[in-house]
C-alpha cells in the first residue's frame, strides 16, 4: 500500500491512546499493553472502525491521566493487527505504525480521547548527499553490532535493504537504545535528511560509548589474564621441551648453574642476586635473546674469585734473594721495594700507599713487579691504562647496553683467578689528559684502600672486594699523572742503565733467557761481551734494555734456524761477525769521526723514553732579521730561541759580531729530534750556542754537549732530568757536558762510573758557555774564524746524517 493511497483512506478524526514510554515509528511493529480505562475504550472504538488509532507519547511516563498539554503534539497513526483481551480487563495489541500525524484539535476526552489530525505526508527525495548519509548510517549501524550491541542479524539485513531515507532513519532510531525524548526528536524531524542526520548523530554517540566500553573491557581482561597466560604458556613450553627431550637438558643446566653459584662462595647478597637471575632464566623460553645475556652475566659472577686467594708467604730474606736473582743492579729500587714489603708484613694490610714505578721503557719496571709477586707467592697480572678513554672501561657498562661487559679491572681479576694478585697498572701517566670522560675518579676508587673493598662495577651490579689486591702502577713520566692519583702513590724512579750495566744485564740475564726461549743450549751459541757492547753502542740507543733484548732475540732466531737446518757445533757471535746477523750499524757511536762544525751544537733533552741527545743547527741568510724555527719545536722551545737571539744582540760587540746583524740576516734554527722533548727550555743554551757560532763563523766543539735554560741577559738556569740526560750523553760517547751550576747537587745521583768518565762543567752564564763550547780563540781571532767558517760551510751536514739515523 503506497503512502498516498493510505493517506486517502485516513480519516481525519481518530481515537487516541497516550503512550507512557514508547514511541512508535511508521512501518514498525510493536506490542502494546493497554491498561488505562480511556485507552481500552479507544482501542475498542478503533477496532470498530477501520482498526486505526492515533498514538502519541506523554512527556512524563508516570502521569496517570495526562492533560492535553502533557502530550507531544506529533505522533504516529497505527493500525491494529491483533487484539487480545486479558482476563483482568486489560488488553494487549500488536500494532504497526502507519504515518506521522499532528494533533489539530481535541474533540472529546470521554469515554476515550478523540482528536482531529493532520496526516503528515513524507516526500521521498534522493540525492548524493542523502545517499552518502544513508550508507554511512548503515555502516555505523553494522559497526555498532560488531562492537557488541545486540542487534539481530535480520534487523541488519533489513536496514541495508531500506531505500527511503526517512524510513531508514526511523528504522535505525527505533533499534537504538535512545531515550524517549531523543526518539521523539527523530519522530518530529519531518525532513528526511534532517532525520537522517539526527539519527546518525545519536548513533555516533552510541558508537563512542561502545568503543570505550570495549577498550575498558580489553584492558581489564588483559590485566587479568596476563599472569594466567604466562603460566599457561610456560607449562606448554615445558611440555613441548619434554616432548622434544630437551627439558631434562635444561633442568640439568639449571641444576649445574645452581651448584656453581653455591661453589663460587659469593657474598650472600651477590648469591641472592645470582639465584634470582637464574630464576628468570629458568622461566624464559630457551630461544629468547635475553637468555644468553643472563647466561653471560651468571658466567661472569661465577667466574670471579670471590673467595679464592693465593696463600701469602713473605720472607724478606727470600724476597731479596728473588729480586737479586731476577735483576742485575737496581740497588736503590730493590731497597725501596724491600722496605715497602717489610711495612706490608708488619701492618699485614694493603693500607699503605700504592707503589708507582717511574722510568723509561725497558728498565725493568714490569720485571720487578713480577718478582714481587713471586716473592709474595701471589699471581701477577698487568693491564695498560694507555688509551683508556672513559670510566666505563674501568667500571664496565650497565647490563642494559647491548654487548655490555665488566670493566677491565674485573676482567683482569677474573682472568687471574685469585682475589689477591699483584696487579700492575701500566701507563698511569697516559690517563685522562686528552681523553673524553674522566677515568681518574674510578681509578681513585680502585686504588684507595678505604673504598676498594666494595668496588662497584656497573656490569656486575654487585660490589667486589679489591682490598687484598696489591696494586703497582707504572709511568714513563711523573708529571702527567693526575695529581689526585700521584698523592696516593709512593714513587720509585728507574733512571735507565749505563753501558756497563747493560752489558752485565745482557750477559747474565738477557742472553741466557733468550737462549732458553729459543730452545738453544748454551753449547750452541755464544755472544761475546764485545759483540754486546757493539749492539749497545751501534744497534740500539735507549735508556732501558728492551731493544737490546730484542736484538739478542733476533740473533737467537737466526742461530736456531741454522741448528735446525743441521749446523753442528757452537756459533760464536763476535764484534766482527755481528753485521751478518743485524746488518749495518744503525747509530754512530762516539765523536771521533765528527768534525767541529759552524752552527751545529749538541744538546741534551729529556723525553718520555729517557734522556737523549739532539743536534741543533742554525744558519743565516741575507734578510731582515726574521727568526725561522723548524723541526720538533714546542711553544716553550720557541720562546727559548727568542731569548737566545735577544741575548746575542746584547752581546754582539763583545762577540765580534756585526752589531746590526739583525737587520741584514734572517736566522733559521732547526731541531731535528725524533722524540719530542718534555722540557723545552733546557735547549736554550744550545740554541744560543749554534746561533753564536753561525754569526761569529766559529765552529762548536763536537765533544761537548750542553743543557740549560737561558734568560734574556744570558744567565743559565737549572733544568730537570739531569741524571737521565747525562746517562744519554755517556751512552753516546760524549766526554764533556756543560750543566747549569745550580744542578751540581744532582750529580750525586749518577752511577760512579758515569761520574768518572764524564767531565761535567758547571756554568752560570752564556759567556762561559761560549768560551767553552766554541773552538778556542776563535771569537777574538777574526782571521781564524773566517778559516773555520769556510771549513764549516757545509753546515749541519754531518749532524743531520747522524740525527736522521736515530730511532
Ligand atoms: P719496563 O716494564 O720498564 O718497560 P721490562 O720490565 O719489561 O721494562 O724490561 C724489559 C726486559 O728487560 C725484561 O725482559 C726484563 O727482564 C729485562 N730487564 C730490565 N732490567 C733488568 C735488570 N736490571 N736485570 C735483568 N733484566 C732486566
Amino acid at each position: 500500500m503506497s503512502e498516498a493511497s493510505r493517506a486517502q483512506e485516513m480519516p481525519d478524526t481518530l481515537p487516541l491512546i497516550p503512550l507512557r514510554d514508547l514511541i512508535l515509528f511508521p512501518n514498525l511493529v510493536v506490542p502494546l499493553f493497554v491498561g488505562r480505562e480511556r485507552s481500552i475504550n479507544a482501542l475498542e472504538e478503533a477496532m470498530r472502525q477501520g482498526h486505526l488509532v492515533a498514538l502519541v507519547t506523554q512527556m512524563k511516563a508516570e502521569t496517570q491521566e495526562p492533560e492535553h498539554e502533557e502530550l507531544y503534539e506529533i505522533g504516529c497513526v497505527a493500525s491494529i493487527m491483533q487484539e487480545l483481551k486479558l482476563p483482568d480487563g486489560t488488553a494487549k495489541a500488536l500494532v504497526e505504525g502507519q504515518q506521522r500525524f499532528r494533533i489539530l484539535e481535541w474533540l472529546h476526552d470521554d469515554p476515550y480521547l478523540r482528536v482531529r489530525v493532520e496526516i503528515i505526508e513524507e516526500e521521498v527525495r534522493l540525492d548524493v548527499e542523502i545517499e552518502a548519509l544513508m550508507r554511512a548510517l548503515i555502516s555505523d549501524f553494522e559497526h555498532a553490532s560488531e562492537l557488541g550491541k545486540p542487534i539481530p542479524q535480520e534487523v541488519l539485513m533489513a536496514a541495508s535493504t531500506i531505500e527511503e531515507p526517512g524510513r531508514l532513519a526511523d528504522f535505525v532510531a527505533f533499534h537504538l537504545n535512545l531515550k524517549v525524548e531523543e526518539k521523539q526528536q527523530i519522530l518530529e524531524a519531518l525532513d528526511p535528511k534532517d532525520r537522517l542526520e539526527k539519527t546518525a548523530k545519536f548513533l555516533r554517540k552510541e558508537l563512542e560509548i561502545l568503543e570505550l566500553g570495549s577498550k575498558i573491557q580489553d584492558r581489564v581482561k588483559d590485566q587479568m589474564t596476563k599472569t594466567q597466560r604466562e603460566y599457561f604458556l610456560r607449562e606448554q613450553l615445558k611440555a613441548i621441551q619434554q616432548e622434544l627431550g630437551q627439558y631434562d637438558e635444561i633442568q640439568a643446566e639449571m641444576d649445574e648453574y645452581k651448584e656453581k653459584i653455591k661453589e663460587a662462595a659469593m657474598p650472600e647478597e651477590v648469591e641472592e642476586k645470582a639465584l634470582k637471575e637464574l630464576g628468570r632464566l629458568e622461566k624464559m623460553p630457551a630461544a629468547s635473546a635475553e637468555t644468553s645475556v643472563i647466561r653471560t652475566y651468571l658466567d661472569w659472577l661465577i667466574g670471579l674469585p670471590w673467595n679464592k686467594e693465593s696463600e701469602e708467604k713473605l720472607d724478606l730474606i727470600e724476597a731479596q734473594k728473588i729480586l737479586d736473582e731476577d735483576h742485575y743492579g737496581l740497588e736503590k729500587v730493590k731497597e725501596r721495594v724491600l722496605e715497602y714489603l717489610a711495612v706490608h708484613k708488619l701492618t699485614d694490610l694493603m693500607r699503605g700507599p700504592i707503589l708507582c714505578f717511574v722510568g723509561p721503557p725497558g728498565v725493568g719496571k714490569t720485571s720487578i713487579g713480577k718478582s714481587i709477586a713471586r716473592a709474595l707467592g701471589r699471581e701477577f697480572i698487568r693491564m695498560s691504562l694507555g688509551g683508556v678513554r672513559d670510566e666505563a672501561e674501568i667500571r664496565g657498562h650497565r647490563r642494559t647496553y647491548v654487548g655490555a661487559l665488566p670493566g677491565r679491572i674485573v676482567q683482569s681479576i677474573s682472568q687471574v683467578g685469585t682475589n689477591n694478585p699483584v696487579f700492575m697498572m701500566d701507563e698511569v701517566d697516559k690517563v685522562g689528559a686528552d681523553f673524553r670522560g674522566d677515568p681518574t675518579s674510578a681509578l681513585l676508587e680502585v686504588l684507595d684502600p678505604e673504598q676498594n673493598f666494595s668496588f662497584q662495577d656497573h656490569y656486575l651490579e654487585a660490589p667486589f672486594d679489591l682490598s687484598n689486591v696489591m696494586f703497582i702502577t707504572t709511568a714513563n713520566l711523573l708529571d702527567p699523572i693526575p695529581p689526585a692519583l700521584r698523592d696516593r702513590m709512593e714513587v720509585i724512579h728507574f733512571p735507565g742503565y749505563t753501558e756497563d750495566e747493560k752489558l752485565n744485564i745482557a750477559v747474565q740475564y738477557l742472553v741466557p733467557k733468550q737462549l732458553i726461549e729459543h730452545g738453544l743450549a748454551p753449547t750452541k751459541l755464544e755472544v761475546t761481551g764485545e759483540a754486546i757492547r757493539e749492539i749497545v753502542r751501534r744497534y740500539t740507543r735507549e735508556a732501558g734494555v728492551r731493544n737490546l733484548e730484542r736484538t739478542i732475540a733476533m740473533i737467537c732466531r737466526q742461530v736456531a734456524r741454522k741448528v735446525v737446518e743441521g749446523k753442528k757445533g757452537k756459533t760464536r757471535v763476535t764484534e766482527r761477525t755481528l753485521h751478518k746477523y743485524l746488518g749495518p750499524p744503525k747509530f754512530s757511536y762516539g765523536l771521533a769521526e765528527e768534525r767541529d762544525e759552524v752552527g751545529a751544537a749538541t744538546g741534551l733533552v729529556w723525553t718520555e723514553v729517557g734522556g737523549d741527545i739532539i743536534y741543533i743547527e742554525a744558519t743565516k741568510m741575507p734578510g731582515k732579521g726574521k727568526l725561522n724555527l723548524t723541526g720538533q719545536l714546542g711553544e716553550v722551545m720557541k720562546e727559548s730561541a727568542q731569548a737566545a737571539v735577544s741575548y746575542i744582540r746584547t752581546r754582539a760587540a763583545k762577540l765580534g759580531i756585526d752589531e746590526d746583524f739583525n737587520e741584514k740576516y734572517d736566522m733559521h734554527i732547526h731541531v731535528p729530534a725524533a722524540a719530542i722533548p718534555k722540557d723545552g727550555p733546557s735547549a736554550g743554551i744550545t740554541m744560543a750556542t749554534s746561533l753564536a757560532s753561525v754569526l761569529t763563523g766559529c765552529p762548536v766543539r763536537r765533544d761537548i754537549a750542553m743543557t740549560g735554560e737561558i734568560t734574556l741577559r744570558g744567565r743559565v738556569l737549572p733544568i730537570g732530568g739531569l741524571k737521565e740526560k747525562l746517562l744519554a750523553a755517556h751512552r753516546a760517547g760524549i766526554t764533556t757536558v756543560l750543566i747549569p751550576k745550580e744542578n751540581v747537587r744532582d750529580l750525586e745521583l749518577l752511577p760512579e762510573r758515569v761520574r768518572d768518565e764524564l767531565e761535567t762543567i758547571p756554568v752560570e752564564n752564556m759567556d762561559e758557555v761560549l768560551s767553552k763550547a766554541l773552538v778556542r780563540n776563535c771569537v777574538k781571532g777574526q782571521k781564524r774564524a773566517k778559516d773555520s767558517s769556510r771549513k764549516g760551510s757545509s753546515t749541519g751536514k754531518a749532524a743531520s746524517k747522524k740525527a736522521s739515523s736515530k730511532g
Side-chain angles (χ1 to χ4, degrees):
M1 210 184 334
S2 82
E3 302 275 333
S5 62
R6 239 192 246 155
Q8 272 160 16
E9 292 165 21
M10 280 289 168
D12 60 351
T13 72
L14 282 170
L16 179 137
I17 297 178
L19 302 175
R20 279 185 197 269
D21 52 3
L22 180 85
I23 285 178
L24 183 64
F25 291 94
N27 303 306
L28 288 156
V29 176
V30 287
L32 219 58
F33 294 93
V34 188
R36 286 177 279 190
E37 199 186 332
R38 282 196 298 188
S39 300
I40 293 172
N41 292 342
L43 187 64
E44 276 170 7
E45 174 61 21
M47 289 305 287
R48 278 194 291 274
Q49 302 184 3
H51 292 209
L52 289 172
V53 65
L55 299 177
V56 285
T57 307
Q58 53 191 65
M59 289 170 188
K60 281 191 191 135
E62 60 279 9
T63 318
Q64 185 61 25
E65 301 271 307
E67 301 292 327
H68 300 164
E69 21 344 311
E70 286 175 303
L71 293 165
Y72 286 113
E73 226 171 64
I74 291 183
C76 183
V77 177
S79 77
I80 300 156
M81 300 162 73
Q82 226 178 48
E83 191 224 26
L84 184 65
K85 287 221 172 68
L86 297 173
D88 63 351
T90 61
K92 198 176 152 192
L94 198 61
V95 298
E96 185 188 15
Q98 297 298 323
Q99 270 184 300
R100 285 175 165 77
F101 73 90
R102 190 195 306 273
I103 299 172
L104 293 179
E105 192 185 348
W106 292 92
L107 298 175
H108 59 72
D109 289 2
D110 282 310
Y112 59 91
L113 292 166
R114 189 165 186 93
V115 285
R116 200 155 64 77
V117 299
E118 174 200 6
I119 300 296
I120 298 164
E121 295 296 339
E122 189 155 319
E123 168 200 11
V124 178
R125 172 170 58 94
L126 271 178
D127 60 28
V128 189
E129 202 182 339
I130 290 177
E131 188 92 358
L133 272 170
M134 287 174 72
R135 280 196 207 166
L137 193 66
I138 292 172
S139 106
D140 278 356
F141 197 45
E142 284 167 352
H143 189 41
S145 151
E146 283 160 19
L147 286 175
K149 191 159 179 63
I151 306 169
Q153 197 56 35
E154 52 281 12
V155 171
L156 289 176
M157 298 264 290
S160 63
T161 59
I162 299 176
E163 281 167 6
E164 296 154 42
R167 201 172 145 191
L168 178 66
D170 288 344
F171 185 82
V172 172
F174 178 76
H175 285 100
L176 292 179
N177 282 348
L178 298 184
K179 290 193 203 111
V180 173
E181 307 89 87
E182 290 169 343
K183 282 193 177 165
Q184 182 68 29
Q185 278 181 41
I186 304 288
L187 193 67
E188 288 179 9
L190 301 181
D191 175 37
K193 187 177 159 210
D194 177 37
R195 196 183 310 156
L196 271 175
E197 277 169 355
K198 280 207 168 87
T199 311
K201 211 173 84 193
F202 287 131
L203 181 52
R204 274 265 119 219
K205 203 173 111 198
E206 180 81 15
L207 275 178
E208 268 169 38
I209 294 171
L210 284 170
E211 267 164 12
L212 200 67
S214 89
K215 250 188 230 163
I216 292 172
Q217 227 180 3
D218 281 356
R219 207 155 52 212
V220 174
K221 207 161 76 190
D222 253 17
Q223 281 165 357
M224 274 208 354
T225 54
K226 202 173 164 209
T227 32
Q228 294 168 342
R229 227 183 71 146
E230 265 182 25
Y231 172 78
F232 180 68
L233 287 177
R234 222 170 277 134
E235 287 301 306
Q236 256 184 339
L237 189 77
K238 233 188 236 171
I240 293 172
Q241 286 169 342
Q242 238 158 3
E243 204 58 36
L244 292 173
Q246 286 175 354
Y247 185 68
D248 291 344
E249 240 171 75
I250 292 172
Q251 199 50 49
E253 191 195 353
M254 293 302 143
D255 291 346
E256 196 183 324
Y257 263 126
K258 230 168 259 174
E259 187 111 322
K260 277 191 196 158
I261 291 173
K262 283 268 161 349
E263 272 170 21
M266 308 171 182
E268 215 170 295
E269 48 178 308
V270 183
E271 185 175 305
E272 254 169 50
K273 187 156 176 50
L275 289 174
K276 208 169 119 201
E277 290 291 320
L278 187 63
R280 280 183 60 206
L281 182 62
E282 218 166 348
K283 284 183 211 136
M284 245 169 229
S288 152
E290 177 93 8
T291 57
S292 77
V293 174
I294 297 185
R295 275 206 191 87
T296 316
Y297 177 69
L298 286 175
D299 289 343
W300 274 109
L301 281 187
I302 291 167
L304 278 176
W306 298 97
N307 213 1
K308 240 182 271 166
E309 54 180 36
S310 315
E311 196 183 325
E312 177 160 310
K313 52 171 177 131
L314 176 52
D315 174 348
L316 282 186
I317 306 213
E318 179 72 11
Q320 170 139 35
K321 224 178 91 202
I322 288 175
L323 284 174
D324 286 342
E325 227 170 72
D326 296 348
H327 299 94
Y328 175 87
L330 290 177
E331 261 67 38
K332 285 223 177 66
V333 171
K334 289 177 188 164
E335 235 167 74
R336 292 280 298 278
V337 168
L338 287 171
E339 282 165 17
Y340 181 85
L341 293 180
V343 174
H344 165 62
K345 183 168 183 173
L346 285 180
T347 56
D348 199 31
L349 275 172
M350 278 299 145
R351 281 289 147 85
I354 307 288
L355 280 180
C356 177
F357 295 164
V358 177
V363 290
K365 302 185 294 295
T366 312
S367 161
I368 287 273
K370 281 186 191 158
S371 298
I372 292 177
R374 190 151 84 91
L376 292 173
R378 296 179 178 214
E379 295 294 326
F380 178 84
I381 179 108
R382 64 192 280 229
M383 160 189 147
S384 175
L385 291 170
V388 167
R389 282 195 322 278
D390 58 28
E391 203 193 340
E393 293 204 35
I394 307 279
R395 239 190 237 289
H397 282 290
R398 296 193 187 281
R399 265 198 296 152
T400 42
Y401 281 85
V402 176
L405 280 182
R408 305 247 298 254
I409 305 282
V410 167
Q411 287 189 25
S412 303
I413 294 284
S414 170
Q415 193 187 333
V416 76
T418 59
N419 65 20
N420 64 342
V422 171
F423 194 138
M424 186 166 251
M425 290 196 191
D426 285 333
E427 308 197 300
V428 264
D429 51 344
K430 309 279 193 311
V431 168
D434 49 343
F435 302 115
R436 280 163 290 137
D438 192 4
T440 316
S441 65
L443 269 185
L444 276 176
E445 191 187 320
V446 172
L447 297 178
D448 184 354
E450 303 289 332
Q451 294 183 51
N452 69 8
F453 61 87
S454 69
F455 172 68
Q456 290 285 347
D457 185 279
H458 289 328
Y459 178 83
L460 289 191
E461 292 171 357
F464 189 87
D465 183 355
L466 292 175
S467 61
N468 289 322
V469 177
M470 179 174 191
F471 287 103
I472 297 176
T473 57
T474 78
N476 289 142
L477 293 169
L478 192 56
D479 288 344
I481 303 178
L485 279 177
R486 211 181 326 158
D487 286 351
R488 296 269 149 80
M489 305 200 275
E490 180 173 337
V491 173
I492 298 183
H493 283 285
F494 285 62
Y497 299 118
T498 62
E499 191 178 291
D500 286 338
E501 284 171 329
K502 287 184 184 178
L503 191 63
N504 281 314
I505 292 173
V507 172
Q508 294 175 34
Y509 297 88
L510 304 181
V511 174
K513 193 163 114 192
Q514 290 305 323
L515 285 181
I516 293 172
E517 269 178 32
H518 288 84
L520 291 167
T523 50
K524 291 286 176 195
L525 170 65
E526 182 194 346
V527 186
T528 64
E530 279 317 303
I532 287 171
R533 196 179 289 278
E534 194 63 11
I535 297 174
V536 169
R537 285 184 173 176
R538 294 180 195 272
Y539 289 89
T540 63
R541 181 176 280 168
E542 58 178 349
V545 291
R546 198 171 275 179
N547 288 329
L548 176 58
E549 187 172 20
R550 249 181 239 151
T551 312
I552 292 170
M554 207 155 124
I555 297 172
C556 290
R557 269 202 303 280
Q558 294 174 42
V559 174
R561 184 173 159 192
K562 284 200 183 123
V563 170
V564 173
E565 283 170 358
K567 184 174 190 292
K568 297 261 168 333
K570 188 179 205 171
T571 308
R572 202 158 172 272
V573 179
T574 66
E575 189 187 350
R576 262 182 297 136
T577 55
L578 201 55
H579 67 274
K580 285 198 212 150
Y581 299 88
L582 304 176
K586 296 198 175 92
F587 305 98
S588 55
Y589 174 82
L591 298 155
E593 70 263 43
E594 302 280 353
R595 294 179 312 182
D596 299 339
E597 301 237 14
V598 171
T602 309
L604 296 174
V605 287
W606 187 22
T607 74
E608 206 155 285
V609 294
D612 204 353
I613 57 176
I614 54 168
Y615 300 98
I616 295 186
E617 301 165 13
T619 54
K620 63 176 184 187
M621 57 213 93
K624 291 202 184 73
K626 223 172 90 202
L627 180 60
N628 244 331
L629 300 159
T630 52
Q632 301 278 355
L633 289 156
E635 261 326 291
V636 187
M637 247 191 173
K638 286 180 186 162
E639 281 167 25
S640 298
Q642 298 285 2
V645 172
S646 301
Y647 156 76
I648 290 175
R649 284 177 65 186
T650 59
R651 276 298 210 247
K654 183 152 184 277
L655 291 169
I657 297 173
D658 196 347
E659 278 187 57
D660 45 359
F661 76 91
N662 206 38
E663 274 137 45
K664 293 183 186 156
Y665 299 109
D666 283 347
M667 311 297 299
H668 183 174
I669 300 181
H670 182 64
V671 186
I676 301 167
K678 287 287 164 193
D679 59 334
S682 75
I685 64 171
T686 323
M687 286 192 272
T689 304
S690 62
L691 276 177
S693 161
V694 160
L695 291 167
T696 55
C698 189
V700 186
R701 277 175 53 185
R702 290 316 290 271
D703 57 341
I704 284 189
M706 61 195 83
T707 177
E709 188 178 342
I710 184 176
T711 70
L712 292 178
R713 302 217 310 278
R715 241 163 58 74
V716 177
L717 300 182
I719 43 80
L722 184 76
K723 188 170 159 193
E724 284 81 358
K725 289 175 178 171
L726 294 183
L727 283 175
H730 183 251
R731 269 203 301 278
I734 285 167
T735 53
T736 314
V737 180
L738 306 182
I739 62 168
K741 190 155 186 196
E742 285 172 56
N743 279 110
V744 169
R745 54 187 143 79
D746 299 339
L747 291 176
E748 275 175 40
L749 302 171
L750 277 186
E752 223 175 274
R753 168 108 197 237
V754 178
R755 231 183 310 170
D756 289 348
E757 289 181 3
L758 203 61
E759 187 192 358
T760 46
I761 305 176
V763 289
E764 263 178 304
N765 56 57
M766 229 12 240
D767 296 350
E768 280 176 67
V769 173
L770 293 182
S771 75
K772 303 274 194 256
L774 296 185
V775 172
R776 224 165 287 248
N777 301 329
C778 174
V779 176
K780 283 173 197 153
Q782 287 293 329
K783 192 167 168 290
R784 274 191 61 186
K786 270 186 194 133
D787 289 352
S788 306
S789 101
R790 215 174 28 246
K791 189 174 118 193
S793 57
S794 60
T795 302
K797 207 183 247 170
S800 45
K801 183 189 97 209
K802 205 169 165 185
S804 60
S805 64
K806 268 198 304 174

